[in-house]
Amino acid sequence: MTKTLAALPGAARRLCLSRRNGEICTREDGHRGLHHRTGGRLLWSDLQADPPACTGAGEPAAPAPTLPDGYPGGRALCPVCWAFVAPVNGVLAPHDSWRGDETREEADRRRDWFNSFGW
């Protein structure tokens, strides 16, 4: 039986999350062989993967709306990789593409934010 991404223990942190043309690999973290996006025909190697730096750096940005607890703490949402990034002088600071939340708590707060404010 297939489980949804949110139902997996540790959610996205258990996935590889390598990117190619913005598509995220949906195989298990540490897998052998080519990267693959479930539901698509895109396969790629590490040499073909996107660099970790997001191309959204320098885009105009304003702090995202906050949840009652203050999340995301003055950070803006990157329209390219969907990371929350600190804006600097009205633009997104250089950052790596979002590759999954570091903790279950961060994933839960991020989910609550998207459920409250959408994409």
Side-chain angles (χ1 to χ4, degrees):
M1 181 169 117
T2 304
K3 293 184 179 181
T4 63
L5 179 63
L8 294 172
R13 298 302 300 166
R14 298 243 187 231
L15 298 178
C16 170
L17 301 176
S18 172
R19 292 177 186 259
R20 172 88 194 268
N21 298 330
E23 295 288 342
I24 301 172
C25 178
T26 53
R27 295 186 70 190
E28 280 188 27
D29 193 24
H31 67 85
R32 293 192 292 184
L34 294 173
H35 298 285
H36 176 252
R37 173 75 183 173
T38 300
R41 291 193 255 172
L42 184 63
L43 297 170
W44 67 95
S45 70
D46 286 339
L47 293 175
Q48 298 166 315
D50 294 346
C54 179
T55 58
E59 292 287 321
T66 59
L67 293 175
D69 68 358
Y71 184 85
R75 297 176 292 171
L77 184 64
C78 176
V80 175
C81 72
W82 303 101
F84 285 111
V85 181
V88 177
N89 297 325
V91 298
L92 291 173
H95 61 282
D96 284 347
S97 290
W98 181 80
R99 307 233 176 204
D101 298 301
E102 293 297 321
T103 65
R104 180 76 253 172
E105 179 185 6
E106 177 73 11
D108 290 345
R109 294 175 80 204
R110 182 180 172 84
R111 183 192 63 239
D112 290 344
W113 188 92
F114 280 102
N115 284 337
S116 296
F117 298 105
W119 297 86

